[in-house]
Amino acid sequence: QVNRADFLRALDEVHPAFGVSEEELQQVIQNGIIHYDPVVDELLKTGILFVDQVRTSTRTPLVSILLHGPPGSGKTALGASIAQASEYPFIKLISPDNMVGYSESQKVTAITKVFTDSYKSPLSVVVVDNIERLIDWTPMGARFSNAVLQTLLVLFNRRPPKGRRLLIIATSSLRPILTDLGLSETFDSELRVPPISSLRALEYVVQEVELFPSEQQRRRAIRMLEDAGFGGRDDLTPKLQIGIKKLLGIVEMARQEPEAVAERLTSSLMDLR
Ligand code: ATP
Ligand code: MG
């Protein structure tokens, strides 16, 4: 016998075969979004402005933005968050992580399919994550997959069919190479995602993830970081430059040693200098 609870559970288990890949998006925002600096909100807000523009303006059926910044600064998570917040009926993430082992032509096919599918929905957002890895960029000899690059160039510039609208959110840690590849002119807007560079922002993060059991211990750790020279009051020479992704990794490592959390945190950050 099927009761109401079973029925509701069944509804939860129905994943849209086409359209939104919730799990995929959720996976890249695993650690949530921590508002450690006003810039985080500004980036999200700007992203949402583009979402609204695509939704409401009939003049701009295709808008593409680029989130760029140093490795681990949070580009993928921010891009996925903006996509998720759009609540568009079609939201897809194109990620090199999901194409491991794909041949060049399989990549071209997979990327093209996402865009072709998006054209069937009135409103779509496609996150094209980590362009340099998608095209297999190799700094040595500046090699890359030209087939994938050409596919991206065509798709980034193709207007969706009449009545369809598309927002493209691309990410890259190698902003300078995009110009040489002819990719940068295709973006309507570029948003820089900076690394964490102040002790205040770092303090906010460790508080948010509850690294220290008491305020007293947190204060002690911050003093230790200040003593180690992470004061960072001089904006011209930031003493701290760390992506949120890496910081969260260091935090979890430090957590493993409950007797020496502050020491672990400090020494890991010093190793980066
Ligand atoms: P890579 O250069 O390796 O591609 P990335 O810049 O794309 O890295 P993410 O993969 O987005 O970085 O990693 C950011 C991680 O930090 C995610 O797990 C995310 O949940 C978490 N996070 C916490 N706060 C923020 C924030 N304000 N912005 C972005 N990510 C955040
Ligand atoms: Mg990324």
Side-chain angles (χ1 to χ4, degrees):
Q1 203 188 337
V2 177
N3 60 29
R4 185 177 145 83
D6 291 327
F7 178 71
L8 291 175
R9 200 170 327 114
L11 280 185
D12 277 343
E13 282 165 12
V14 174
H15 297 297
F18 172 87
V20 183
S21 30
E22 270 297 334
E23 272 170 43
E24 232 166 47
L25 292 167
Q26 212 44 62
Q27 210 182 344
V28 300
I29 326 172
Q30 235 169 33
N31 301 301
I33 298 291
I34 300 169
H35 298 257
Y36 55 78
D37 189 286
V39 76
V40 175
D41 258 332
E42 281 160 29
L43 287 165
L44 290 171
K45 258 192 218 151
T46 308
I48 298 301
L49 282 180
F50 287 109
V51 164
D52 292 340
Q53 183 190 338
V54 171
R55 197 201 321 267
T56 56
S57 164
T58 48
R59 286 167 198 280
T60 48
L62 175 67
V63 171
S64 60
I65 61 176
L66 173 70
L67 294 172
H68 66 93
S73 53
K75 304 170 295 296
T76 304
L78 287 173
S81 297
I82 295 165
Q84 215 173 28
S86 76
E87 297 188 316
Y88 284 5
F90 184 97
I91 306 173
K92 276 277 153 76
L93 174 68
I94 295 175
S95 161
D97 293 337
N98 302 332
M99 297 189 187
V100 175
Y102 278 34
S103 69
E104 197 174 36
S105 68
Q106 282 172 321
K107 274 193 194 177
V108 167
T109 306
I111 294 169
T112 308
K113 181 173 179 343
V114 171
F115 278 81
T116 312
D117 285 347
S118 81
Y119 301 146
K120 294 171 193 157
S121 161
L123 269 176
S124 307
V125 52
V126 175
V127 180
V128 182
D129 194 30
N130 209 325
I131 293 183
E132 58 274 14
R133 267 183 60 215
L134 276 178
I135 65 168
D136 276 318
W137 170 261
T138 322
M140 226 198 293
R143 276 172 297 149
F144 57 92
S145 158
N146 194 43
V148 175
L149 173 64
Q150 294 309 318
T151 301
L152 290 179
L153 277 169
V154 168
L155 295 170
F156 282 179
N157 289 294
R158 178 176 291 163
R159 265 177 162 244
K162 201 164 179 293
R164 310 294 196 213
R165 299 174 194 180
L166 171 64
L167 172 65
I168 299 168
I169 303 175
T171 81
S172 172
S173 301
L174 292 175
R175 170 67 193 77
I177 69 158
L178 301 187
T179 307
D180 296 337
L181 296 171
L183 266 169
S184 52
E185 301 92 79
T186 69
F187 298 108
D188 296 295
S189 185
E190 296 186 6
L191 310 178
R192 182 174 142 77
V193 184
I196 287 173
S197 60
S198 76
L199 200 51
R200 190 194 297 155
L202 183 140
E203 189 173 1
Y204 189 95
V205 172
V206 298
Q207 184 170 1
E208 197 72 4
V209 299
E210 297 173 346
L211 178 61
F212 297 101
S214 73
E215 196 182 318
Q216 197 190 346
Q217 279 168 280
R218 192 179 74 238
R219 289 258 170 80
R220 180 180 157 265
I222 296 302
R223 265 198 308 277
M224 195 181 281
L225 287 166
E226 274 168 352
D227 291 345
F230 286 110
R233 275 174 210 92
D234 183 358
D235 281 344
L236 292 174
T237 53
K239 303 192 174 61
L240 185 68
Q241 290 281 334
I242 184 169
I244 177 72
K245 190 177 176 180
K246 186 145 200 179
L247 177 57
L248 291 175
I250 286 176
V251 161
E252 290 319 309
M253 204 176 66
R255 216 195 279 278
Q256 303 310 311
E257 242 178 289
E259 329 74 46
V261 176
E263 289 76 5
R264 260 315 186 112
L265 184 67
T266 308
S267 66
S268 299
L269 290 170
M270 284 177 79
D271 287 345
L272 295 175
R273 289 198 292 200

